[in-house]
Coordinates of all heavy atoms in Angstrom, one line a residue:
T87 N 76.6 -102.9 390.9 CA 75.7 -102.5 389.9 C 74.3 -102.5 390.5 O 73.4 -101.8 389.9 CB 75.7 -103.4 388.7 OG1 75.5 -104.7 389.1 CG2 77.1 -103.3 388.0
L88 N 74.0 -103.1 391.6 CA 72.7 -103.1 392.2 C 72.6 -102.0 393.2 O 71.5 -101.8 393.8 CB 72.5 -104.5 392.9 CG 72.4 -105.7 392.1 CD1 72.3 -106.9 392.9 CD2 71.3 -105.6 391.0
A89 N 73.6 -101.2 393.4 CA 73.6 -100.2 394.4 C 72.5 -99.2 394.2 O 71.9 -98.7 395.2 CB 75.0 -99.4 394.4
E90 N 72.1 -98.9 393.0 CA 71.0 -97.9 392.8 C 69.7 -98.4 393.4 O 69.0 -97.6 394.0 CB 70.9 -97.6 391.3 CG 72.0 -96.9 390.7 CD 71.9 -96.7 389.2 OE1 70.8 -97.0 388.6 OE2 72.9 -96.4 388.6
S91 N 69.5 -99.7 393.3 CA 68.2 -100.2 393.8 C 68.3 -100.3 395.4 O 67.3 -100.4 396.0 CB 67.9 -101.6 393.2 OG 68.8 -102.5 393.6
F92 N 69.5 -100.3 395.9 CA 69.7 -100.4 397.4 C 69.2 -99.1 398.1 O 69.0 -99.1 399.3 CB 71.1 -100.7 397.7 CG 71.7 -102.0 397.3 CD1 73.0 -102.2 397.3 CD2 70.8 -103.0 397.0 CE1 73.5 -103.5 396.9 CE2 71.3 -104.3 396.6 CZ 72.7 -104.5 396.6
G93 N 69.1 -98.0 397.4 CA 68.8 -96.7 398.0 C 67.5 -96.8 398.8 O 67.4 -96.0 399.8
K94 N 66.6 -97.6 398.5 CA 65.3 -97.7 399.2 C 65.5 -98.2 400.6 O 64.6 -98.2 401.4 CB 64.3 -98.5 398.4 CG 64.7 -99.9 398.2 CD 63.7 -100.7 397.4 CE 64.1 -102.1 397.2 NZ 63.5 -102.8 396.1
F95 N 66.6 -98.8 400.9 CA 66.8 -99.4 402.2 C 67.1 -98.4 403.3 O 67.0 -98.7 404.5 CB 67.9 -100.5 402.2 CG 67.5 -101.6 401.2 CD1 68.5 -102.1 400.3 CD2 66.3 -102.2 401.2 CE1 68.2 -103.1 399.4 CE2 66.0 -103.3 400.4 CZ 66.9 -103.7 399.5
G96 N 67.6 -97.2 403.0 CA 67.9 -96.2 404.0 C 69.2 -96.3 404.6 O 69.4 -95.7 405.7
F97 N 70.2 -97.0 404.1 CA 71.5 -97.1 404.7 C 72.2 -95.8 404.7 O 71.8 -94.9 403.9 CB 72.3 -98.2 404.0 CG 72.5 -98.0 402.5 CD1 73.4 -97.1 402.0 CD2 71.7 -98.7 401.6 CE1 73.5 -96.9 400.7 CE2 71.8 -98.5 400.3 CZ 72.7 -97.6 399.8
D98 N 73.2 -95.6 405.6 CA 73.9 -94.4 405.7 C 75.1 -94.4 404.8 O 75.6 -93.3 404.4 CB 74.4 -94.2 407.1 CG 73.2 -94.0 408.0 OD1 72.6 -92.9 408.1 OD2 72.7 -95.0 408.7
A99 N 75.6 -95.5 404.4 CA 76.8 -95.6 403.5 C 76.7 -97.0 402.8 O 76.2 -98.0 403.3 CB 78.1 -95.4 404.2
F100 N 77.3 -97.0 401.6 CA 77.4 -98.2 400.8 C 78.9 -98.4 400.4 O 79.5 -97.5 400.0 CB 76.6 -98.2 399.5 CG 76.7 -99.4 398.6 CD1 76.0 -100.5 398.9 CD2 77.6 -99.4 397.6 CE1 76.2 -101.7 398.2 CE2 77.8 -100.5 396.8 CZ 77.0 -101.7 397.1
I101 N 79.4 -99.6 400.7 CA 80.8 -99.9 400.4 C 80.8 -101.1 399.5 O 80.2 -102.2 399.8 CB 81.6 -100.2 401.7 CG1 81.5 -99.1 402.7 CG2 83.0 -100.6 401.4 CD1 82.4 -97.9 402.4
N102 N 81.6 -101.0 398.3 CA 81.7 -102.1 397.4 C 82.7 -103.1 397.9 O 83.8 -102.7 398.5 CB 82.3 -101.6 396.0 CG 81.3 -100.8 395.3 OD1 80.1 -101.0 395.4 ND2 81.8 -99.8 394.6
K103 N 82.5 -104.4 397.7 CA 83.5 -105.4 397.9 C 84.1 -105.7 396.6 O 83.4 -105.7 395.6 CB 82.8 -106.7 398.4 CG 82.3 -106.8 399.8 CD 81.7 -108.2 400.0 CE 81.3 -108.4 401.4 NZ 80.7 -109.8 401.5
P104 N 85.4 -105.9 396.6 CA 86.4 -105.8 397.7 C 86.5 -104.3 398.0 O 86.4 -103.4 397.2 CB 87.7 -106.4 397.1 CG 87.6 -106.2 395.6 CD 86.1 -106.3 395.3
F105 N 86.8 -104.1 399.3 CA 86.9 -102.7 399.8 C 88.3 -102.4 400.3 O 89.0 -103.3 400.7 CB 85.8 -102.4 400.9 CG 85.8 -103.5 401.9 CD1 86.6 -103.5 403.0 CD2 84.8 -104.5 401.8 CE1 86.6 -104.5 404.0 CE2 84.8 -105.5 402.8 CZ 85.6 -105.5 403.9
N106 N 88.6 -101.1 400.4 CA 89.8 -100.7 401.0 C 89.6 -100.5 402.5 O 88.6 -99.7 402.8 CB 90.2 -99.3 400.3 CG 91.4 -98.7 400.9 OD1 91.4 -98.3 402.1 ND2 92.5 -98.7 400.1
I107 N 90.4 -101.1 403.3 CA 90.2 -101.1 404.7 C 90.2 -99.6 405.3 O 89.4 -99.2 406.1 CB 91.2 -102.0 405.5 CG1 91.0 -103.5 405.1 CG2 91.2 -101.7 407.0 CD1 89.7 -104.0 405.7
G108 N 91.2 -98.9 404.8 CA 91.3 -97.5 405.2 C 90.1 -96.7 404.9 O 89.6 -95.9 405.7
D109 N 89.5 -96.9 403.7 CA 88.3 -96.2 403.4 C 87.1 -96.6 404.3 O 86.3 -95.7 404.7 CB 87.9 -96.4 401.9 CG 88.9 -95.8 400.9 OD1 89.7 -94.9 401.3 OD2 88.9 -96.2 399.7

Side-chain angles (χ1 to χ4, degrees):
T87 57
L88 297 176
E90 290 175 15
S91 65
F92 292 163
K94 64 185 178 195
F95 299 132
F97 55 82
D98 296 278
F100 177 81
I101 304 284
N102 291 327
K103 285 182 178 178
F105 48 83
N106 176 293
I107 293 293
D109 292 343

